[in-house]
Amino acid sequence: MRTNQDAFLSAVQERGEYPTQAEAERVSRVVLALLGAHLVGEVRKELADRIPETLARILLNPLQAHEPLPPERFIRATAAWIEGATEKTAAWDVSAVLSVVADSAGEDLTHRILLQLPPGYDLLFGHPQGVEGGGMCGTADRRS
């Protein structure tokens, strides 16, 4: 079941504390382009079916990755693609988007996504392994 674009971007805007939905969309596009390079097969297709169509196209036509990036390098890559971003703000951006992705995907698909990624992504998705309840990684204010 595909998530409505307004609902998806509103959730990213709220979690990321972005002033506009346009900023939430810009960050979502970058994060999903990078994520798409790390996912393959049915997992990527299933996720695309659960997020808004315009963002699904980005996920399905990702930036090329030569190797799976560990979470720290994924954050650095995100920072490089977002004008004015630092590693700290990029970590916030990645967590805001990926936690909404996890909500859209549901528990089973999120688990299968995490199996395709290097260790440590569970925190970025707001689903720490072995911790019940999840929630977004990091509670610090984005502006700090």
Side-chain angles (χ1 to χ4, degrees):
M1 182 166 133
R2 190 176 298 280
T3 301
N4 171 290
Q5 182 157 333
D6 267 352
F8 185 95
L9 293 176
S10 290
V12 171
Q13 181 180 359
E14 181 181 318
R15 290 185 192 173
E17 299 179 8
Y18 303 112
T20 66
Q21 198 172 77
E23 187 175 351
E25 182 174 4
R26 181 175 59 94
V27 168
S28 295
R29 287 174 175 273
V30 170
V31 172
L32 290 169
L34 289 166
L35 179 64
H38 289 72
L39 301 179
V40 296
E42 283 299 308
V43 167
R44 185 166 64 186
K45 184 186 176 316
E46 279 185 57
L47 180 57
D49 288 343
R50 296 185 191 188
I51 63 175
E53 187 174 348
T54 55
L55 298 174
R57 284 193 294 255
I58 293 165
L59 181 80
L60 294 171
N61 296 295
L63 299 168
Q64 295 302 308
H66 298 290
E67 62 182 335
L69 298 175
E72 304 78 28
R73 289 187 52 209
F74 188 94
I75 289 168
R76 280 197 293 272
T78 301
W81 282 93
I82 298 175
E83 185 179 333
T86 64
E87 283 187 36
K88 184 177 180 181
T89 62
W92 182 274
D93 296 335
V94 169
S95 289
V97 174
L98 293 184
S99 67
V100 175
V101 165
D103 290 349
S104 298
E107 287 293 326
D108 178 62
L109 181 55
T110 298
H111 177 71
R112 289 186 287 133
I113 290 168
L114 291 171
L115 290 175
Q116 288 193 6
L117 298 171
Y121 276 84
D122 56 325
L123 297 175
L124 296 176
F125 277 84
H127 286 260
Q129 297 299 312
V131 176
E132 291 298 316
M136 194 173 100
C137 173
T139 57
D141 187 300
R142 173 177 165 68
R143 296 167 295 242
S144 56

